[in-house]
Amino acid sequence: MKFKGFRKDKRFLEAFQDELEYWWRQPLGRALLDAEQKRLEPFLAKTFGYHFLQLGVSPYVSLTHLSQISHPMVWSPKWLKDAGESLLISDAHALPIPDDSVDVVLIHHLLDFVDSPHVVLREAARITQHKGHLIIVGFNPMSSWGACRYLRWKKTVPWSARFIGLKRLNDWLTLLDYRIEDVETVMLRPPIKSSRWLQRTRWLESPRGGGHFGAAYIVWAKKQVGCATPIRRKWQQNQFIPGVVPTPSTKGLSRTRSESMKRRR
């Protein structure tokens, strides 16, 4: 199954979720996932709190085991068998979670495969607690993987992803009152499907990361202040409750009465 890219193809994530799950099980997908886990594990092991949410392309590609937080949740656009107990099924553009309620939110390549990535990022920023952590993992356009998406024969997953640049992501986070604490990239190896050649090119990997040209970037951002009040839809706004009428204010009533009594005198 081939994809024409998001500028011409407006299908939702559900349309190609099976293809993504299959790709993550292949040698190239497993190699990238292993590289991301090695970088995420030291940081997530130090996080604490009550709630952890992963917004990813598939609940079967879960990274919640890397965190010590007691209540991990995995998002999915549809119900799936054997996906775990804490499965959040909803639209990624309108998460049914209260504001400032999640300690750590991990966005794992979801922004690369949704119609409105800035809206999904805004939702993730909304539900993150004050001084909570927002971790974003995405494909790096400034890499050999990013160059492959321009090849005609590279029209399948994951090459049809958005490959959002770090500059644009930084602008979005700044508008949402987030401060980027750290950025690094992983996986310097070229996108080779053969597991044999992936093993042979392991010498390209550096223990310090991929510099600026790794296949995927990891962005650690921290929420600074309470985000601006989001524009809610009509069904999300507080409705007037019939029968509950606020008590009229009596401020200024005593002054009026005293002045009238003085005039009478």
Side-chain angles (χ1 to χ4, degrees):
M1 187 176 182
K2 295 185 177 181
F3 304 97
K4 299 179 181 180
F6 283 91
R7 293 183 180 178
K8 298 180 180 179
D9 192 345
K10 296 299 183 180
R11 286 178 289 182
F12 293 102
L13 177 63
E14 299 94 317
F16 48 88
Q17 189 174 17
D18 295 338
E19 302 294 328
L20 285 169
E21 293 173 358
Y22 175 78
W23 183 83
W24 285 111
R25 294 194 297 266
Q26 300 309 303
L28 186 58
R30 291 199 308 266
L32 177 61
L33 186 62
D34 291 341
E36 293 173 349
Q37 289 188 27
K38 289 180 181 179
R39 288 295 173 184
L40 288 170
E41 185 175 7
F43 179 82
L44 291 178
K46 299 178 182 179
T47 57
F48 58 91
Y50 297 99
H51 305 291
F52 174 90
L53 175 63
Q54 175 180 329
L55 298 170
V57 293
S58 171
Y60 293 124
V61 187
S62 177
L63 299 173
T64 57
H65 64 281
L66 301 177
S67 176
Q68 302 297 325
I69 294 179
S70 58
H71 183 213
M73 297 176 290
V74 179
W75 172 85
S76 176
K78 61 181 179 180
W79 181 80
L80 297 171
K81 295 182 180 179
D82 303 327
E85 297 180 358
S86 299
L87 184 65
L88 176 66
I89 304 173
S90 69
D91 181 5
H93 303 82
L95 298 173
I97 299 178
D99 299 350
D100 304 320
S101 58
V102 183
D103 300 282
V104 179
V105 178
L106 171 61
I107 304 178
H108 187 249
H109 291 284
L110 183 62
L111 300 182
D112 291 315
F113 295 99
V114 289
D115 290 336
S116 302
H118 61 285
V119 177
V120 175
L121 182 62
R122 185 178 62 189
E123 277 293 284
R126 176 184 64 83
I127 65 175
T128 305
Q129 284 189 0
H130 175 57
K131 293 187 178 181
H133 294 280
L134 180 61
I135 307 171
I136 304 168
V137 183
F139 288 109
N140 183 18
M142 302 297 295
S143 65
S144 60
W145 292 48
C148 285
R149 63 190 176 124
Y150 295 105
L151 300 177
R152 293 183 178 179
W153 53 275
K154 289 289 188 181
K155 297 300 182 182
T156 56
V157 168
W159 317 113
S160 55
R162 291 185 178 275
F163 283 80
I164 301 173
L166 286 172
K167 185 179 183 303
R168 177 179 295 182
L169 188 61
N170 181 35
D171 293 340
W172 290 348
L173 290 171
T174 302
L175 291 175
L176 295 171
D177 294 325
Y178 274 75
R179 186 186 75 234
I180 295 180
E181 295 186 327
D182 194 10
V183 178
E184 61 178 312
T185 65
V186 297
M187 190 73 175
L188 281 172
R189 282 174 283 179
I192 305 172
K193 293 183 178 180
S194 173
S195 58
R196 180 180 178 182
W197 280 102
L198 283 172
Q199 291 294 329
R200 288 186 175 184
T201 54
R202 291 188 64 180
W203 61 271
L204 292 172
E205 300 297 336
S206 171
R208 297 182 179 180
H212 300 286
F213 306 105
Y217 55 72
I218 303 176
V219 177
W220 285 271
K222 193 171 185 179
K223 192 172 188 177
Q224 294 304 298
V225 297
C227 293
T229 304
I231 301 176
R232 300 182 180 274
R233 301 175 184 176
K234 291 183 179 180
W235 61 271
Q236 292 177 313
Q237 296 176 357
N238 294 329
Q239 301 295 328
F240 173 74
I241 303 177
V244 180
V245 182
T247 305
S249 175
T250 57
K251 184 179 180 180
L253 184 60
S254 58
R255 171 187 273 180
T256 305
R257 288 183 177 178
S258 60
E259 291 180 355
S260 60
M261 292 177 65
K262 289 180 180 181
R263 291 176 182 178
R264 290 178 183 178
R265 291 177 183 177

